[in-house]
Amino acid sequence: MSKIIVIGSPGAGKSIFSQKLRNITNIPLYHLDMLYHKADGTHISKEELEEKLKEILKKDNWIIDGNYQRTIEMRLKECDTVFLLDFPTEVCVEGAKSRIGKKREDLPWVEEKLDEKFKQTIINFSNEKLPQIYELLNKYKEHLNIVIFKSREEADNYIRSQELSENKKYIETKK
């Protein structure tokens, strides 16, 4: 596990999961939102984003957090592990609401409200985007380690198991 993507609906907690994974593995983390968006709320072109992404994909190891549907296949071709946070819509909407007003490392500004258009994107995600994601995962499943979480609890349990595993390795090397 050295080239990892974390995908799922906005509000699912991809960035938090990715940050925890980075802290355990020490693999560099790249947030697509930070690559795409500027602090003033504008963004670079999709072509510029793809160029930046291609540079990251050349590196030996990385965690890339973000959905950005048009780049998923590009990332799937290069990664070895995929974490899909396939959570219920209500959980994702609540996740998006919970980050309002908070400074985050994965976004260059502080969200002041849950934009209605963005909320609708979350609501539509399972019908509009998720089927395409599963189709792509099926296409590349032969060379990928695919982990799908259906709840925050499953994702949290995975992180805890990885932390325990790392702690055990550390203790064994000290003996």
Side-chain angles (χ1 to χ4, degrees):
M1 186 166 79
S2 62
K3 296 181 176 185
I4 303 161
I5 66 171
V6 181
I7 56 179
S9 173
K14 298 179 299 295
S15 297
I16 297 295
F17 180 86
S18 298
Q19 290 162 19
K20 290 176 181 177
L21 197 58
R22 173 201 54 208
N23 294 344
I24 295 165
T25 63
N26 291 314
I27 296 173
L29 171 58
Y30 302 92
H31 298 287
L32 291 181
D33 280 343
M34 287 299 286
L35 295 174
Y36 184 62
H37 295 289
K38 297 179 184 179
D40 65 2
T42 62
H43 54 79
I44 62 175
S45 72
K46 290 176 174 137
E47 294 76 22
E48 286 175 284
L49 175 63
E50 287 179 16
E51 287 306 311
K52 286 184 175 190
L53 192 50
K54 285 176 187 175
E55 290 305 309
I56 294 167
L57 295 175
K58 291 177 186 175
K59 297 177 185 288
D60 291 335
N61 54 17
W62 36 259
I63 299 170
I64 301 174
D65 145 49
N67 220 60
Y68 289 76
Q69 204 85 0
R70 94 183 238 145
T71 69
I72 288 179
E73 189 162 15
M74 176 193 314
R75 289 178 280 145
L76 285 173
K77 289 177 181 177
E78 301 297 328
C79 74
D80 56 44
T81 304
V82 178
F83 290 97
L84 170 59
L85 281 57
D86 182 2
F87 298 166
T89 301
E90 309 76 49
V91 171
C92 298
V93 169
E94 286 306 310
K97 285 180 182 176
S98 73
R99 62 191 192 196
I100 302 299
K102 296 178 181 167
K103 175 83 174 107
R104 302 164 27 205
E105 81 173 57
D106 62 305
L107 198 62
W109 67 79
V110 175
E111 294 170 300
E112 296 176 6
K113 65 182 176 97
L114 182 58
D115 177 73
E116 280 305 312
K117 185 177 175 187
F118 184 61
K119 182 179 177 183
Q120 197 59 50
T121 298
I122 298 170
I123 291 167
N124 295 340
F125 186 84
S126 62
N127 290 329
E128 292 181 1
K129 304 293 183 188
L130 209 48
Q132 297 167 13
I133 290 171
Y134 274 105
E135 191 176 303
L136 285 168
L137 291 178
N138 192 47
K139 180 177 178 181
Y140 292 99
K141 68 183 177 188
E142 298 305 318
H143 81 274
L144 293 175
N145 175 27
I146 300 170
V147 182
I148 300 171
F149 300 119
K150 294 288 191 173
S151 70
R152 285 202 197 285
E153 183 180 20
E154 287 178 5
D156 290 344
N157 287 341
Y158 177 85
I159 290 294
R160 272 194 294 283
S161 73
Q162 295 303 302
E163 289 169 338
L164 290 172
S165 176
E166 284 303 308
N167 287 339
K168 185 177 177 185
K169 285 180 196 171
Y170 176 77
I171 290 167
E172 288 173 358
T173 60
K174 290 292 182 185
K175 289 181 180 176

